[in-house]
Amino acid sequence: MPKPIITSQFNGPQQTLTITPPDGGVRLRGRVQIPGDKSISHRSLMLGALAEGTTTIEGLLLGEDPRSTAACFRAMGAEISKLNTEQVTVQGIGLGNLQEPTGVLNAGNSGTTLRLMLGILASHQNRYFTVTGDDSLRSRPMGRVINPLKEMGAEIWGREGNTLAPLAVQGRSLNPMTYRSPIASAQVKSCLLLAGLMTEGETKVIEPALSRDHSERMLQAFGATVKVDPDEISAAVMGPAKLTGQRVIVPGDISSAAFWLVAGAIAPDSDLVVENVGINPTRTGVLEVLRDMGADLTLENERDAAGEPVADIRVRTSQLQGCEISGAVIPRSIDEIPILAVAAACAKGKTVIRDAAELRVKESDRLAVMASELSGMGASITEHPDGLEVVGGSLLQGSSTDSYTDHRIAMSLAIAALVAKGPTEIHRAEAAAISYPNFVPTLETLCR
Ligand code: SPQ
């Protein structure tokens, strides 16, 4: 079977990836190992730094975002081994013992780093911190964590009425509270639970729908007292807590697996097994949606890896049908909506995505960008304030596209390019390294 021609051109750090599929289309086959889960990687570095004793992490994501987390916590005194193998050791310094950094903490492109870290910094008494990020992160809303932290007594200053980075934080002793979050957000929930670790009493977050629960699981594993109430959709932590270093095994990231699951479903004559995928139920919305669309997915070898469920997922080419994606499945598939929009463009009939306005405040405005870039490739796609409507089934055309420096957009467009007619250019494709440094070489090996 002929392979696609994949070329890269660099202009300084910026990469333009050009993908030209052969006339008969691309076929994807084989077994693929995906990088470690980004959410779990961040949390293992942070809890490892706050714990007493040594934490060993296996399978850490070696992407740009966890590197930002590691750099911030190193600057505050945690000893974290070099991130050049997936085996990483963190020498924790104990809760409350972070040192005041002499420079500005830089979270880079990572919303998780900045928002979770704010809960930790705000509750570190008598220390002063300044934090920032890249152009994208400095435009993302921080009020969603700063406002409830202030209700707990935190002192935080920033641009635009204390809602945008750069931010300054004067750490102090906080008061516990019960916070009813208006959005289902694991970053809001985790920020407040982390602030609750050093706060006397119970700090509780109630959500409108359940977001990913990696923080709750890992805090418990590190020795914190965590109460989860599935009926109320709440999670609470009792402070002051004591965390003890652990062995963490990071499963493969289902958000990275999603690119191959969609590719295997839409590319002709494909049969792929994606190995060691984390299938925590708060993350498996993408599997439900793809099954709803008629994708041929099979879970094999289901097992548990240090408190997180894991499986190998087999996908074979299927004729996808349009479907509705809305409600409680949205927080469980939030990062997969861009690649699901590609699946929708290849499905028969209409796909309606609703209740997904949160996508507008990610690394890019993912609704606007997917609408513009897929329209440019000939897809019939309408943007709504909280979603997209995609009428699928017509052949995509190769075109000049842009990632808007968003890793999930770069990789979604690369998968769309595989089933398009003619070459597709993806500008600023280097963004993929945020969560998937080996994405392009892996793509090359799977096309056979
Ligand atoms: O860390 P960042 O930049 O916010 O990353 C994203 C992503 O696509 O990788 C979102 F842009 O993932 C978030 C996710 O959308 C990671 C995350 C977490 O680890 O807690 C939770 C989700 O965000 P939110 O705002 O819904 O809590």
Side-chain angles (χ1 to χ4, degrees):
M1 187 93 175
K3 289 172 144 234
I5 301 166
I6 302 179
T7 59
S8 271
Q9 261 193 328
F10 284 90
N11 180 3
Q14 289 192 358
Q15 178 188 23
T16 296
L17 187 68
T18 306
I19 300 179
T20 312
D23 277 346
V26 164
R27 177 177 90 171
L28 288 101
R29 294 203 154 219
R31 300 182 76 87
V32 56
Q33 293 261 0
I34 44 163
D37 187 280
K38 181 159 78 68
S39 296
I40 298 175
S41 294
H42 284 303
R43 286 157 173 82
S44 61
L45 290 167
M46 289 185 191
L47 295 196
L50 296 175
E52 284 171 28
T54 306
T55 289
T56 55
I57 310 171
E58 293 165 40
L60 187 92
L61 166 65
L62 301 177
E64 294 304 323
D65 274 8
R67 288 184 195 282
S68 297
T69 293
C72 288
F73 282 85
R74 281 190 190 117
M76 295 186 283
E79 276 175 46
I80 301 175
S81 64
K82 279 197 176 143
L83 303 196
N84 50 12
T85 82
E86 291 172 358
Q87 298 267 114
V88 171
T89 308
V90 184
Q91 215 54 59
I93 50 179
L95 266 173
N97 294 332
L98 288 181
Q99 293 159 17
E100 183 174 279
T102 50
V104 178
L105 297 168
N106 192 337
N109 189 245
S110 175
T112 309
T113 307
L114 185 46
R115 294 199 179 112
L116 270 57
M117 199 165 64
L118 279 175
I120 297 168
L121 305 184
S123 53
H124 256 77
Q125 285 187 54
N126 305 324
R127 317 275 204 294
Y128 181 78
F129 307 91
T130 48
V131 287
T132 192
D134 70 5
D135 290 353
S136 153
L137 190 56
R138 291 197 312 275
S139 69
R140 292 177 68 185
M142 295 299 143
R144 56 182 56 200
V145 291
I146 293 173
N147 293 335
L149 283 173
K150 284 191 158 193
E151 282 181 46
M152 294 175 76
E155 290 188 87
I156 304 174
W157 300 269
R159 296 184 301 123
E160 301 276 337
N162 306 323
T163 61
L164 294 181
L167 300 165
V169 183
Q170 175 62 62
R172 48 171 293 174
S173 163
L174 302 180
N175 306 311
M177 76 156 171
T178 293
Y179 181 64
R180 195 173 281 278
S181 176
I183 42 173
S185 161
Q187 293 180 355
V188 171
K189 173 173 64 179
S190 305
C191 166
L192 298 178
L193 293 179
L194 290 170
L197 288 175
M198 282 192 290
T199 302
E200 180 97 39
E202 184 185 82
T203 299
K204 176 163 149 181
V205 183
I206 305 171
E207 297 190 279
L210 187 61
S211 66
R212 65 193 68 187
D213 67 357
H214 305 301
S215 295
E216 295 91 302
R217 286 174 187 248
M218 203 182 287
L219 280 168
Q220 239 156 357
F222 273 72
T225 304
V226 177
K227 278 193 253 164
V228 172
D229 181 341
D231 297 324
E232 191 181 37
I233 323 185
S234 69
V237 70
M238 281 304 293
K242 180 172 175 299
L243 304 179
T244 309
Q246 297 295 314
R247 175 176 177 228
V248 179
I249 301 174
V250 183
D253 198 328
I254 191 165
S255 299
S256 299
F259 300 107
W260 307 127
L261 298 179
V262 171
I266 62 177
D269 196 25
S270 296
D271 188 350
L272 281 180
V273 177
V274 190
E275 294 179 346
N276 192 34
V277 184
I279 51 161
N280 177 315
T282 60
R283 298 285 298 281
T284 47
V286 62
L287 303 182
E288 276 162 48
V289 171
L290 283 174
R291 282 202 170 117
D292 244 29
M293 297 179 89
D296 179 358
L297 297 180
T298 327
L299 265 55
E300 299 171 353
N301 195 13
E302 286 187 52
R303 58 208 185 267
D304 184 89
E308 290 279 349
V310 166
D312 302 333
I313 307 180
R314 182 170 186 186
V315 59
R316 282 172 280 199
T317 308
S318 345
Q319 174 56 65
L320 300 183
Q321 308 286 334
C323 74
E324 174 159 347
I325 312 171
S326 62
V329 80
I330 292 288
R332 299 193 302 109
S333 59
I334 190 74
D335 296 337
E336 293 72 69
I337 299 292
I339 187 64
L340 286 171
V342 173
C346 300
K348 266 198 184 150
K350 194 199 281 187
T351 296
V352 178
I353 302 169
R354 281 284 146 79
D355 308 320
E358 271 295 297
L359 289 174
R360 296 205 181 272
V361 291
K362 300 294 183 185
E363 287 84 324
S364 68
D365 177 342
R366 289 178 174 165
L367 293 178
V369 171
M370 285 313 289
S372 77
E373 303 313 280
L374 283 181
S375 296
M377 295 180 77
S380 164
I381 180 161
T382 315
E383 191 184 337
H384 293 280
D386 68 339
L388 298 171
E389 234 169 70
V390 188
V391 181
S394 46
L395 182 63
L396 295 175
Q397 303 295 323
S399 145
S400 173
T401 67
D402 191 351
S403 79
Y404 289 79
T405 71
D406 184 330
H407 53 129
R408 305 223 183 271
I409 303 287
M411 293 184 274
S412 298
L413 294 172
I415 301 303
L418 294 178
V419 292
K421 188 170 162 37
T424 297
E425 284 174 358
I426 302 147
H427 297 288
R428 299 192 274 180
E430 73 284 353
I434 291 292
S435 61
Y436 205 149
N438 280 327
F439 177 75
V440 175
T442 306
L443 175 60
E444 279 166 336
T445 44
L446 291 176
C447 293
R448 50 176 98 169

